[in-house]
Each structure stands twice: as structure tokens, then as C-alpha cells.
Amino acid sequence: MPVITVHGPKMSKEQKAELVKSFTEIASKIMNIPAQAFTILIEEMERENVGVGGVLLADREK
Amino acid sequence: MPVITVHGPKMSKEQKAELVKSFTEIASKIMNIPAQAFTILIEEMERENVGVGGVLLADREK
Amino acid sequence: MPVITVHGPKMSKEQKAELVKSFTEIASKIMNIPAQAFTILIEEMERENVGVGGVLLADREK
Amino acid sequence: MPVITVHGPKMSKEQKAELVKSFTEIASKIMNIPAQAFTILIEEMERENVGVGGVLLADREK
Amino acid sequence: MPVITVHGPKMSKEQKAELVKSFTEIASKIMNIPAQAFTILIEEMERENVGVGGVLLADREK
Amino acid sequence: MPVITVHGPKMSKEQKAELVKSFTEIASKIMNIPAQAFTILIEEMERENVGVGGVLLADREK
């Protein structure tokens, strides 16, 4: 522990690597817990599988 | 916030749009929070990745 | 399955009962799955434990 | 309820069936709840979508 | 990784310790991953915060 | 969307505010999504409700 789960858009491997690195550094410092204890799970969501304000993101472009 | 996560079966885009619309309307009314504040995440689960009563859904058809 | 998780505000028992009833009816109809199969998990979040736009909800009232 | 969510590696159908069976048996006994009440959700994670100690699992093989 | 999240009833510390021990042993063997890599998160749910079949567990005793 | 869920230790309000601020800034930059779109959910876990390597954190101090 801690476990950080990110539900977000499709990302490149480089973006994910940077996100994992930066999140772990910041959270490790704030929580005063060694970086090694952190697990980060990235769930890339299709725009058709996310709704905001009652509308699918995939339908927002129309 | 609020965030509503739905782990369910494969659905068509129309089903997802309807689910997002209806859930947001109902929850907005019950919680007295503007629809715009709601995020809904849909996780479509393979039948092979869900167990009920100790058996995979994919094995229940046998 | 399906499992619906709601991260939202504190609610009264009546609000939760209504939310569970309505969500199950709607989702059961849309997904064509019997109501009995639905599990709904309600996670009531303290305003101090939710951030939107980089600010804790608890700090937004200031 | 209960709902058990497993974020883990790719697994074969046999591994998933065994995991669901064993988890349900053990948890049913420990919690004294009938096996039928248990839902298990398996989320197979790409190594590129998991970070441990600030590094993507996919980058750990280098 | 892996991360196993259990949404279930209130449990004693002994029950939780046994659940964590057994789940880790079983999953470690099935996934062929060292026990040390496993994180288990237990979310004890109030009966008023869980709905099954459209009814709160707390309302099922009536 | 995006939604970031943090399962971690008890934290002060100041720590949570800093975590929400920093995570949002970093993720907004990496994902190129406006900060306003980000929701962060913090779940503070009791040591008795977290297992690592098959042992409850609460039992690790012994």
C-alpha cells in the first residue's frame, strides 16, 4: 500500500511512465512512505465508456 | 464528484448512452447535485473474468 | 454481476434505498438482466477526501 | 455482496476458474456467507498499465 | 501488483488476517507471483450501503 | 473524467489538499486535459484493513 488507480484516456507508454514516476515521487514525499510501497494501476477508458453530465464523451464531439 | 462505476456486460453504444443519461438524471435528483458534476465509468467485463457463486460466468452455460 | 459502485456524498437511508431501487430497475431493463443479479455498493465520501479541479471539496466553501 | 475485485496479470481461463473457486470457498467460510452471494471481478492488467516503486512493470525487464 | 480489493461485511481482525493470508497463498500459487507482491484492501461495508436485487441489505431483515 | 482513486494511510487535511493539487497539476499536464476535469477520491485505509505479503499492516509492527 498505497494503491493509486487512474481511470483516464488512452496514453502513450511514455506518458504512463512519466505519470507513474511523478505520482510516486509526490505521494511518497507527502505521505512519507517509501516509493517502493506504491502500486499504480492505469485503466485506459474508451470515450464510449465514460459519461460526464449525463452524456457519453464519445457523443460530445457531435 | 459523484463518480459511478458500472462493472457489467458488453453493451451497445445506445445502451451505454441511455444508462449514463438515466443514472445521471435519477442520481442528480436523489442527491440534489447538478447533473454536470457526475462522472460515470463503464467497465465491460468478459464473461470469463467474472465469477458468481464460485463459478466463472463463461462456465455457467455448459 | 453487474456491480455498480457509487462514490458520492453522505445520504440518508431513504435516499440510498431510492437510489438502489431506481438504479437496479433502470440497469436491469437496459442490460436485460434480472434485478436479482445486481449488487450496488455505496461509498459515502467525506468532503475532505474528494478533490475536483485540484481543490478539496471541503476547501471550496471558503 | 461480497464483491472481490482482482487487478492482476493475464491469466488462462483455467487459472481464473481456480481463483474464483478457491477465493469463494475460503471467503465464504471465513465470512460465514453462502458462496452464492459472492461476485468476483477479474481485471487483467497490461504490464504497461501498472507501476510499482515508480516504474512501469513493462520497463522493469530492461 | 496484484491488488485484491474485498468489499464485504464487518469482520474481526482475526477474520481479516486469515482472509489476507489465505487469499495471498492461493493467488500467489495460481498466478506464480511471490506473496510479497500482493496488496489486499478490505472495505467493510455498512449494510445500509449495499443493495442486492434493488433492496438495501439493511432493509432485508424487515 | 479522469478519476484518480487513492487508497492510502490516514492523512491530515493539509496533506490531502497538497496531494490533490499536485496530482491534478501533473496529470493535467501529462494528459493535456484541463484541471477542472479531474476528480480525485481519497480512501483512508485502517492498517487493520490492508494486507501486504499475506500479513495485515496492523500485525507488522509486532
Side-chain angles (χ1 to χ4, degrees):
Chain A
M1 210 227 354
V3 175
I4 299 165
T5 307
V6 179
H7 284 86
K10 293 276 178 196
M11 287 186 276
S12 69
K13 190 175 161 198
E14 292 64 33
Q15 286 177 300
K16 295 178 214 178
E18 197 191 328
L19 194 72
V20 159
K21 184 171 174 290
S22 317
F23 269 20
T24 301
E25 275 168 14
I26 290 275
S28 172
K29 208 184 71 191
I30 292 173
M31 297 180 187
N32 194 23
I33 292 176
Q36 206 43 43
F38 286 79
T39 300
I40 299 186
L41 304 171
I42 297 172
E43 305 224 18
E44 295 174 286
M45 303 296 292
E46 299 286 345
R47 297 182 66 77
E48 191 181 294
N49 285 8
V50 179
V52 173
V55 179
L56 291 180
L57 287 188
D59 288 341
R60 275 183 178 263
E61 288 84 23
K62 287 178 199 156
Chain B
M1 213 233 339
V3 176
I4 299 165
T5 308
V6 179
H7 283 86
K10 293 277 177 195
M11 287 185 275
S12 69
K13 191 175 160 197
E14 292 64 33
Q15 287 177 300
K16 295 178 212 178
E18 198 190 327
L19 194 73
V20 159
K21 183 170 175 290
S22 316
F23 270 20
T24 302
E25 276 168 14
I26 289 275
S28 171
K29 207 185 70 187
I30 291 171
M31 297 180 187
N32 194 24
I33 292 176
Q36 206 44 43
F38 286 80
T39 301
I40 299 185
L41 305 171
I42 297 172
E43 306 224 19
E44 295 173 286
M45 303 297 291
E46 299 288 344
R47 297 182 65 77
E48 190 182 291
N49 285 6
V50 180
V52 174
V55 180
L56 292 179
L57 287 188
D59 287 342
R60 276 186 176 262
E61 291 81 20
K62 286 180 197 154
Chain C
M1 220 244 321
V3 176
I4 299 166
T5 308
V6 180
H7 283 87
K10 292 275 178 197
M11 287 186 276
S12 69
K13 188 174 162 199
E14 291 65 31
Q15 287 176 299
K16 294 178 212 179
E18 198 189 331
L19 193 71
V20 158
K21 184 172 174 290
S22 320
F23 271 20
T24 302
E25 278 167 12
I26 292 167
S28 172
K29 206 186 70 188
I30 291 173
M31 297 179 187
N32 194 25
I33 292 176
Q36 206 44 43
F38 286 80
T39 302
I40 299 185
L41 304 172
I42 297 172
E43 305 225 18
E44 295 173 286
M45 303 296 292
E46 299 287 344
R47 298 182 65 79
E48 191 181 289
N49 285 5
V50 180
V52 174
V55 179
L56 291 179
L57 287 188
D59 288 340
R60 275 184 178 264
E61 289 82 23
K62 285 180 200 153
Chain D
M1 214 234 341
V3 176
I4 300 165
T5 307
V6 180
H7 283 86
K10 292 274 176 198
M11 285 185 278
S12 69
K13 191 176 161 198
E14 291 65 33
Q15 286 176 299
K16 295 179 213 179
E18 196 191 330
L19 193 73
V20 158
K21 184 171 173 290
S22 317
F23 270 20
T24 303
E25 276 167 13
I26 290 274
S28 173
K29 207 185 72 189
I30 291 172
M31 297 180 188
N32 194 25
I33 292 176
Q36 207 43 43
F38 286 79
T39 301
I40 299 185
L41 305 172
I42 298 172
E43 305 225 18
E44 295 173 286
M45 304 296 293
E46 300 286 346
R47 297 182 65 78
E48 191 182 291
N49 286 5
V50 179
V52 174
V55 179
L56 292 179
L57 287 189
D59 287 340
R60 277 184 176 260
E61 289 83 21
K62 285 181 199 154
Chain E
M1 214 242 324
V3 176
I4 299 166
T5 308
V6 179
H7 283 86
K10 292 276 177 195
M11 287 186 276
S12 70
K13 190 175 162 200
E14 291 65 32
Q15 287 176 298
K16 294 178 212 176
E18 198 189 330
L19 193 73
V20 158
K21 183 172 176 291
S22 319
F23 271 20
T24 303
E25 278 168 12
I26 292 166
S28 173
K29 207 186 71 188
I30 291 172
M31 297 180 187
N32 194 24
I33 291 177
Q36 205 45 41
F38 287 80
T39 301
I40 299 184
L41 305 171
I42 297 171
E43 305 225 19
E44 295 173 286
M45 303 296 292
E46 299 287 344
R47 299 182 65 77
E48 191 181 290
N49 285 7
V50 179
V52 173
V55 179
L56 292 180
L57 287 189
D59 287 342
R60 276 183 176 263
E61 290 82 24
K62 285 180 200 154
Chain F
M1 217 246 318
V3 176
I4 299 166
T5 309
V6 180
H7 284 85
K10 292 274 177 198
M11 287 186 276
S12 68
K13 191 176 160 197
E14 291 65 31
Q15 287 176 300
K16 295 178 213 178
E18 198 191 328
L19 193 73
V20 159
K21 184 171 175 291
S22 320
F23 270 20
T24 303
E25 278 168 11
I26 292 167
S28 173
K29 208 185 73 192
I30 291 172
M31 297 179 187
N32 194 24
I33 292 176
Q36 205 44 41
F38 286 80
T39 302
I40 298 185
L41 305 172
I42 297 173
E43 305 225 19
E44 295 173 287
M45 303 296 291
E46 300 285 347
R47 298 182 64 79
E48 191 182 290
N49 286 4
V50 180
V52 174
V55 179
L56 292 180
L57 289 188
D59 287 340
R60 277 185 178 262
E61 288 83 24
K62 286 179 200 155

